[in-house]
């Protein structure tokens, strides 16, 4: 089992964000986080993760892991391909957490043949490209309710659920700026 994140220097994310996620992954899974240094800009750097054969569990750098992720690991080992049901736009996927068992390199191979063309064709980002080429299972339909929560859509509007193991941050704030359990900003 491999647990991955993707990183491209020069943007919003820094090496310290890799270390933050690495500690959380290790604490809640006992598995060492592997960083894939992507060759494409911004969120498109994620396309490089698909060169890695499964089983793989992938987390965006702005994800916060709060508890045991063994259920996600089990699903990633079992299912061909899993993504999030987008928190804002139903019938679209969100790629902050992905899992697969087997070979998903066809996504990387296709994208790498014309990255500039695909980036222009899919201004919604990597998740739009992925959805156009794959039909993943959805984490929310495979896990107990509230295992994965959006900070914006769930926690900020209500509160964190006791079942929450993983918090996704899309947009601002980010997981290193605000405590999902208290809503207080970190110093």
């Amino acid at each position: 089992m491999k647990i991955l994140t993707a990183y491209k220097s020069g943007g919003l994310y820094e090496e310290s964000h890799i270390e933050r996620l690495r500690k959380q992954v290790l604490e809640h899974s006992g598995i060492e986080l592997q960083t894939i240094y992507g060759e494409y800009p911004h969120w498109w750097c994620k396309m490089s993760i698909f060169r890695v054969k499964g089983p793989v569990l992938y987390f965006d750098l702005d994800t916060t892991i709060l508890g045991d992720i063994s259920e996600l690991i089990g699903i990633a080992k079992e299912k061909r391909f899993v993504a999030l049901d987008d928190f804002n736009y139903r019938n679209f996927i969100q790629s902050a957490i992905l899992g697969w068992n087997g070979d998903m390199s066809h996504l990387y191979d296709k994208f790498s043949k014309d990255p500039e063309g695909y980036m222009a064709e899919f201004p919604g980002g990597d998740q739009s490209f992925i959805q156009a080429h794959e039909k993943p299972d959805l984490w929310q339909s495979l896990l107990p309710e509230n295992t994965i929560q959006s900070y914006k859509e769930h926690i900020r509007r209500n509160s964190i659920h006791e079942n929450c193991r993983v918090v996704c941050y899309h947009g601002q704030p980010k997981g290193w700026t605000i405590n999902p359990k208290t809503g207080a900003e970190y110093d």
Side-chain angles (χ1 to χ4, degrees):
M1 180 72 206
K2 296 169 241 20
I3 300 181
L4 307 178
T5 195
Y7 176 73
K8 174 77 172 171
S9 65
L12 172 67
Y13 300 98
E14 300 172 0
E15 296 274 344
S16 63
H17 301 132
I18 297 170
E19 181 59 19
R20 172 189 166 273
L21 184 60
R22 185 195 69 74
K23 287 178 183 176
Q24 294 171 2
V25 166
L26 190 59
E27 177 183 352
H28 297 294
S29 73
I31 299 172
E32 189 67 43
L33 178 71
Q34 297 176 35
T35 303
I36 303 299
Y37 290 85
E39 57 207 271
Y40 302 108
H42 197 48
W43 53 66
W44 292 103
C45 77
K46 190 180 304 178
M47 296 308 297
S48 298
I49 68 173
F50 295 114
R51 294 182 293 182
V52 180
K53 288 190 169 84
V56 165
L57 178 58
Y58 167 84
F59 294 104
D60 274 354
L61 279 174
D62 59 355
T63 305
T64 295
I65 300 172
L66 300 172
D68 181 7
I69 57 172
S70 59
E71 286 180 282
L72 283 84
I73 291 168
I75 289 168
K77 287 179 176 179
E78 175 188 321
K79 296 292 185 178
R80 181 178 173 278
F81 189 47
V82 188
L84 287 166
D85 189 9
D86 192 282
F87 298 111
N88 295 312
Y89 305 104
R90 297 296 175 223
N91 301 315
F92 289 94
I93 67 162
Q94 214 277 351
S95 61
I97 304 172
L98 300 169
W100 65 90
N101 184 10
D103 186 353
M104 297 301 290
S105 63
H106 66 281
L107 290 171
Y108 174 80
D109 294 343
K110 184 160 188 75
F111 181 81
S112 66
K113 288 181 179 160
D114 186 17
E116 295 298 326
Y118 286 121
M119 286 188 270
E121 182 181 348
F122 295 98
D126 62 278
Q127 50 209 23
S128 298
F129 175 85
I130 293 165
Q131 186 166 358
H133 296 93
E134 276 293 331
K135 177 74 172 132
D137 287 307
L138 301 174
W139 289 112
Q140 291 96 322
S141 66
L142 299 169
L143 290 165
E145 190 172 3
N146 295 308
T147 300
I148 299 172
Q149 289 191 295
S150 157
Y151 182 79
K152 281 184 183 177
E153 296 302 311
H154 301 121
I155 298 168
R156 185 172 60 187
R157 292 180 183 196
N158 297 304
S159 63
I160 193 163
H161 193 278
E162 64 186 31
N163 292 344
C164 183
R165 301 291 174 264
V166 182
V167 179
C168 293
Y169 293 84
H170 36 107
Q172 296 296 334
K174 295 294 185 192
W176 53 83
T177 63
I178 196 156
N179 184 322
K181 292 181 179 179
T182 65
E185 290 186 23
Y186 289 120
D187 293 330

